[in-house]
Each structure stands twice: as structure tokens, then as C-alpha cells.
Amino acid sequence: MKIPLRNILIIAAFGVIGFTEQALAQAVNDADSHEIVTKLADKLVDVYPFPDISAKYSEALKKAEAAGRYNNLSEDELASRLTDDLNKAHKDVHLRVMRNEQVYKSMTEPQAGGGNQREDDSERRANYGFKKVEIDGATSTAYIDAPGPFYGSKEAFEMAAAAMNMAAYSKYIVIDIRHNPGGTGQMGRFLSSYFYNAGHEQFYLNGFYKDRKQDEQEWTYAYVPGRRNPDAKVYLLVGRGTGSASEGFAYAMQKLNRATIVGDTTAGAGIAGTYVALKNNLIVFTPFKMVVGPGSNVGWEGTGVIPDVNTGKADALLAARKLILEDIVKTGKDSITRESAQWVIDNSNMAANKPVNIKSKYSELIGRYPNNVSITAAKNGLVYKYSVPGKPVETFTLQEVKPDVLVINGLNANIAPNSSRLYVNRNAAGKVESFTRKTMMANGTIYIAPQPFKTINQISAGISHKRHRLILPFRMPVPGH
């Protein structure tokens, strides 16, 4: 049978594709597999800081190999199975085998320029581990977003110094490491050093190896570029994505009582390690140094860093900001700052307030007021209205913030949400006399309307009453007297 040329080309094309996929998924031969397992087991026995655990790893790998668990597997499959078997013997979130051709080649083949050149610009694209710095002058708060990882390059430390110097004059500093997977522990020590005066270096963390004679004490640095901020109140935001060296930063600052840790429990990766090339494009991240607190054999390995303020899945940044506002209300030196902080706290608590019948509770507010203002009843409460001749009437619902304080929803929304309030003024008998309108400005100050608002009827009645009091006792003077 004669096969058309077009079909021959299609068959050939599929044959090439099938061959390519087969080549990519080609099984690691038995000799290479044995060499990989042996090198992995020996390396763990040599460097893993806990000999009893490394013995379990070695035994588990050799037992699995004898059972044929590593036969006829692709490189990816072999890496995955080795990692699974190690985790079954003892779970260490750092310890993992992976296939990475690029890293394997960089570790096993000579590099141009003596191997000192980075093959990609991943550090630059990650902005050297620091994303942004935001300064809130109203609360004197600096927010530093450091999703990491923590790099050890010159550029990374320059970026960290720039971030810390932007925050140098803030009373409160929030550092967000919720999504920081780790990196070099030197960066955490560098950041911590800014919160101590020169000459007051702190024993930060302690690292120990299988050979305890090699123990390393880690201290904060005697010198950091720029201005230190030893009086700042520090909040570190952590979560499940906080791992390894970033956990060490949080753990050390917590143990030193130098920061409040806010968020969710961290990953629990407390044994430092490094990459080791195996064979067939396989590499292993091998833990070799247990990191613990000063004078202790206990770290965060397996348990993670437990926050001082545990928010679970709730937003840790919102929680930290509320802690800062509460501290301002408690310790602020001027009444304006304290009142502004309390204002924001009240707004954040509104959603949790017990619903009240606004229409019934504040019915005495209903009426017309000067300056084109009126308050009317609506189906679900009260409405604040502002009308200017020739323009549509603007309406804003009233919502209770706390007793006798109502937010005018939407009024001055160009400044901020919930920026305008109505404060009810009552007489000694508890009857509503007027209201005062206040507005939180963008700079944190509070503008107070010059005069309390009274209804037009109240004003008219007051004028008549005053006239009555003035006219009755008044007598015309006798000329010449």
C-alpha cells in the first residue's frame, strides 16, 4: 500500500515528538541511582547536626534502594521519591532533593570569570528582597515590605540600609516578612542592628553543627550605615510563608524582647543548609547547622515562631496598625494625636458594633439646620442632607460609631472613608440640644466646625426667648439721667 507523502511527514513528526519526550523522561540507570543514594546518605551522616536522625535517613534510603523503590525512575521521579522517603524517616522542611539542570551545571562545571558571575538577574528582579517603604507621618509609622528572599550581596545590604534610613525617624516600624522564604541569616542580623545603639551589640542567635566544637555565636553588628533607631517600637509580620532565615530574624527579635511578632505561626524551618550536587541534574538542600536562641538548645525547627499576637488567617498588617493606634492613645504626648488615633480605632470597630435603631434613638436630630443642612427620617434610619440652590441634594446615611457619635457616610470621602462625624450634644436632662461636626483631615488633624448645629426651630425659639427676657425688664432712661 502506498502511503501519501503528507501522512509520512505527519508520522515522522509524531515519531520525533515521541522520541524527544521519551528522551526527557529516560530512566536513571541503576549505577547512577545507586551513586545518588549513596552520596546523599553519606552527606547526611557527615553533616546533619543530629546523628540519630541522620542515621535514620541513611537506613531509610538504603532500605528503600534494596526494595527497588529507585529503579526505572526519571530524574524528576527519583528526586520526588527520595524526598518523600526522607520525610517519612524524619520531617525536615529544609531537606529536599530536586532536579535543577541550571543549578547543577553551575555547581559542577567551571564558570566564566572564575565562577563569580551570576547567570541571571533574579536578585535585581526581586529588588534585592525589599519591595517598598511607606511612611505615615500622622502616626509616625514606617512600613517596610520585605518579601525576600534575604540575599547576602552588596546590593541587598545597600537596599536594606536605604529602607532602614527611610524609617529612621519613625516611632513605629512594621517589617513585613509574611512571604519571605529565607536566605542568608546575615540580613536579619543587619536589620536588627539598627534597633540598638552602637556598643550595645546583642547575642542574636547560636548555631551548632554535628561537631559541637564548631558552634557559632551570631551577634548584631557594631556598625551599620546611616541612622540607628534604638527607641522605635518594632512589629514583625509573619505567617506560614515566613521560613528559614526570616524566621530566625523574627525568633531572635522575639527572644530579645525587641519586637512584637504579629500574624500566624511560621514554617518551622530552623536548620540552616546549603545545596549539594548529586548526579544526573539532581541537587539536594542539605541542612547542616541547627540555629537556636542564646544559651539554649531550642529553636523554631518543626514548631515555627509562635506570634505574640496570633491573628491566624486574618490580616496581620491591620492588627499591627491597630496595636500602634492603641499605643498612641495610651502613650501619645498631645491630645490631637491621641484623638486622631482613637478616631481610626472607632472606625475599625464599627462593623462589630451592635446594631441600633438610629431613627428611634436619635429622632430629636430630625429637622432643618443653617447652611443648607437637614436631617430626615428614612426607611432604615436617618439621612444627612446638604442642598445648594441649583444643584442636586446630596444625601448621606448616618451610622453609629459609638453612643452619640455618628459617622456621616460618604461626606468628604475625597479625604478618606468615614472622615466626617456628627457628635450629639445633650443638656443635663439628656435632651438633644445640638450637634458638632468634625472631619478627620488627610494629615491626621481634626477640623471642628466653628459653631454647633442647632435646628432652625431651636434657633428661632431661642431668639424669641432672648427677646422676651430682654424686653420685659427694659425701661427707657430719663433724658439727662
Side-chain angles (χ1 to χ4, degrees), residues 142-157:
Y143 168 73
I144 301 173
D145 191 3
F150 281 159
Y151 295 105
S153 63
K154 170 179 175 288
E155 296 88 345
F157 285 108

Side-chain angles (χ1 to χ4, degrees), residues 20-156:
T20 303
E21 290 177 347
Q22 184 179 3
L24 288 173
Q26 186 174 1
V28 178
N29 64 52
D30 291 347
D32 287 348
S33 176
H34 176 70
E35 185 175 340
I36 289 168
V37 171
T38 301
K39 186 172 183 179
L40 176 58
D42 290 347
K43 188 66 179 179
L44 290 170
V45 169
D46 286 344
V47 304
Y48 199 81
F50 301 103
D52 56 334
I53 295 176
S54 62
K56 288 181 181 179
Y57 285 143
S58 179
E59 182 183 358
L61 291 172
K62 292 175 181 177
K63 186 176 180 180
E65 182 185 24
R69 277 181 55 78
Y70 306 134
N71 295 341
N72 302 314
L73 299 178
S74 68
E75 292 173 356
D76 283 314
E77 291 171 337
L78 180 57
S80 178
R81 186 160 294 185
L82 287 168
T83 301
D84 288 343
D85 289 346
L86 290 169
N87 278 325
K88 288 176 184 176
H90 175 79
K91 187 172 180 60
D92 183 326
V93 296
H94 266 142
L95 178 58
R96 61 194 183 279
V97 182
M98 64 206 83
R99 181 189 184 278
N100 191 313
E101 185 175 353
Q102 181 178 346
V103 174
Y104 181 83
K105 284 183 177 180
S106 71
M107 296 177 70
T108 58
E109 297 178 5
Q111 301 293 308
N116 294 323
Q117 310 239 354
R118 290 191 290 273
E119 292 187 1
D120 58 45
D121 62 348
S122 58
E123 285 193 31
R124 181 193 61 77
R125 286 186 283 109
N127 205 39
Y128 305 99
F130 293 82
K131 187 175 182 180
K132 62 183 176 182
V133 179
E134 295 176 346
I135 307 297
D136 179 3
T139 59
S140 189
T141 299
Y143 168 73
I144 301 173
D145 191 3
F150 281 159
Y151 295 105
S153 63
K154 170 179 175 288
E155 296 88 345

